[in-house]
Amino acid sequence: MPQLNKITVLGSGIMGHGIAQISAMNGYQVVLRDIEQRFLDSAMDKIKWSLDKLVEKNKIKKEESEKIYGRIKPIVELKDALIDTDLLIEAVPEDLNLKKKVYSEVDQFAEEKTVYASNTSTLPISEISQLTSRPDRFIGLHFFNPPQLMKLVEVIPGARTEKSIVDLGINLVKSLGKDPVLCNKDVPGFIVNRIFIPLVHEAAYCLESDGKTMTQIDSAVKFKLFLPMGIFELADYTGIDVIHKATFEMYSRDKKVIYPHPMIAQLFSSGKLGKKSGDGFYSYGDKNYERVPLSEEEAKQYDPIRMLSVALNNASWLITNNVCNNEDLELALRLGMGLKKELFEIGKEYGFEKIINTLNQLKKGNESFYTPDPYLVTLSK
Ligand code: 3HC
């Protein structure tokens, strides 16, 4: 297995800068590459902010934070960014045409030894890897936002990924202090996004039809479904552009995975991209990190059964189709989304029969999306 010393991260957005930071925090020499210096400047400011936070919380020492910062080299010139690199982690926006362009440039300069990894959240690894000179040494490493705090990395082999590269990916994730979960099949959304992205759309349907406010729905998500953020809050935090692109890519490959609500596309086209643009479902100030106030009192005003039913149905699909087992699914939701209670435990408390009835009611609107998965049906018996 190749030795990893130097990592180049392509793309310095929310995910790219976080991946660069944790790589440097764990001793790797890191190059952070973007197409313009101003993007890199903004990314380095965010890294500085995050490292200062970790110092403030006594997670690292001040001198250590300076060394970590010094290990990250921001570079615009792609050729220079790829010199002597052992591993490339691509974290550019989710657009296959853009990735195609990026990888064709990378292929011109990357050295023979460089292994390719993509942080794609929804595009099939096999499809991307085929755009490159090395589909056998290509792997999906899907980090979660914020990479500095979330412990999960989904590891996704493509159709031609060599076993040694899967092992390399798993070992790298462990060396970053993260927990790998192997995604057995290269399906749209992998594990966590197959649950998260459809849930954002489902929340939009609930907002439209249930006569409740966003903070009532979000409070119920936080206090009754045990997620650390409300779902609208999380969508804004992730980026409406990310949700919109993920929706498009997932839905174009599998109509069963998601029931898109037009609200996401509308927010996207009006430039309301969430926290990063100051507006999304909610409005924000200019602080680096900002939370939406949610309360147990507001949670009492809403029953989130529809969202729970959809999450359980998509989770069941993953199990039925052997993408992961129940244990890995719960681990992924705990470490990737901060879910504080097991999803199927929450389902059990609500009652699987009630969940199935809810899905059967919803089936009238979209049969292929809401039809209860056989695994969920067996739990209700
Ligand atoms: N670096 C360092 N510190 C950070 C930070 C960062 N990047 N981001 C936030 N913090 C700090 C905050 O500033 C706060 O500090 P403070 O106490 O001084 O104000 C501290 O962390 C704790 O924040 P909170 O009080 O908000 O506490 P939480 O317990 O809620 O933890 C969280 C924050 C870990 C972000 C938690 O809310 C969480 O897990 N949220 C869900 C995130 C999630 O689901 N991510 C996955 C999205 S899907 C995805 O990424 C896939 C993609 O493909 C779409």
Side-chain angles (χ1 to χ4, degrees), residues 25-91:
M25 286 175 73
N26 289 284
Y28 294 99
Q29 288 302 323
V30 179
V31 169
L32 182 58
R33 192 266 170 176
D34 215 316
I35 50 173
E36 286 184 40
Q37 188 60 43
R38 66 190 169 106
F39 297 141
L40 291 172
D41 292 344
S42 155
M44 293 307 283
D45 282 349
K46 290 196 185 90
I47 291 173
K48 171 102 187 29
W49 173 84
S50 174
L51 289 171
D52 286 348
K53 266 279 160 206
L54 298 174
V55 171
E56 190 187 307
K57 296 198 178 283
N58 287 324
K59 300 252 169 68
I60 52 173
K61 298 239 163 9
K62 180 85 190 132
E63 312 80 75
E64 207 186 328
S65 84
E66 282 157 11
K67 281 193 194 143
I68 294 166
Y69 189 84
R71 256 182 238 134
I72 307 172
K73 245 176 132 181
I75 295 183
V76 171
E77 198 57 54
L78 182 63
K79 189 175 177 193
D80 297 340
L82 291 170
I83 292 172
D84 198 33
T85 210
D86 300 299
L87 177 71
L88 167 102
I89 304 181
E90 168 269 306

Side-chain angles (χ1 to χ4, degrees), residues 16 19 21 35 60 170 211 217 258 275 282 306 316 326 353-354 356 365:
I19 296 168
Q21 180 183 330
I35 50 173
I60 52 173
I170 289 174
I217 295 175
I258 200 162
K275 172 75 187 78
Y282 297 101
R306 178 170 172 170
S316 298
N326 200 314
E353 217 181 307
K354 211 166 146 195
I356 297 286

Side-chain angles (χ1 to χ4, degrees), residues 50 53 57 121 142 145 148 150 193 228 289 291 336-337:
S50 174
K53 266 279 160 206
K57 296 198 178 283
S121 51
H142 182 216
N145 181 30
Q148 293 93 336
M150 306 311 285
N193 276 347
Y289 182 73
R291 296 296 304 268
M337 290 186 82

Side-chain angles (χ1 to χ4, degrees), residues 14-15 17-18 21 46-47 49-57 59 94 119-122 142-150 154 189-190 192-193 196-197 222 227-230 233-235 237-239 242-243 246 288-291 333-340:
I14 293 181
M15 300 309 290
H17 88 265
Q21 180 183 330
K46 290 196 185 90
I47 291 173
W49 173 84
S50 174
L51 289 171
D52 286 348
K53 266 279 160 206
L54 298 174
V55 171
E56 190 187 307
K57 296 198 178 283
K59 300 252 169 68
E94 291 292 89
N119 176 55
T120 181
S121 51
T122 43
H142 182 216
F143 292 77
F144 288 79
N145 181 30
Q148 293 93 336
L149 304 183
M150 306 311 285
E154 291 173 340
F190 311 133
V192 171
N193 276 347
F196 168 46
I197 306 287
K222 179 166 173 172
L227 280 171
M229 290 178 166
E233 180 187 19
L234 182 57
Y237 179 65
T238 305
V242 173
I243 307 283
N288 260 310
Y289 182 73
E290 211 173 319
R291 296 296 304 268
L333 291 176
R334 177 157 61 82
L335 302 180
M337 290 186 82
L339 187 66
K340 294 189 179 73

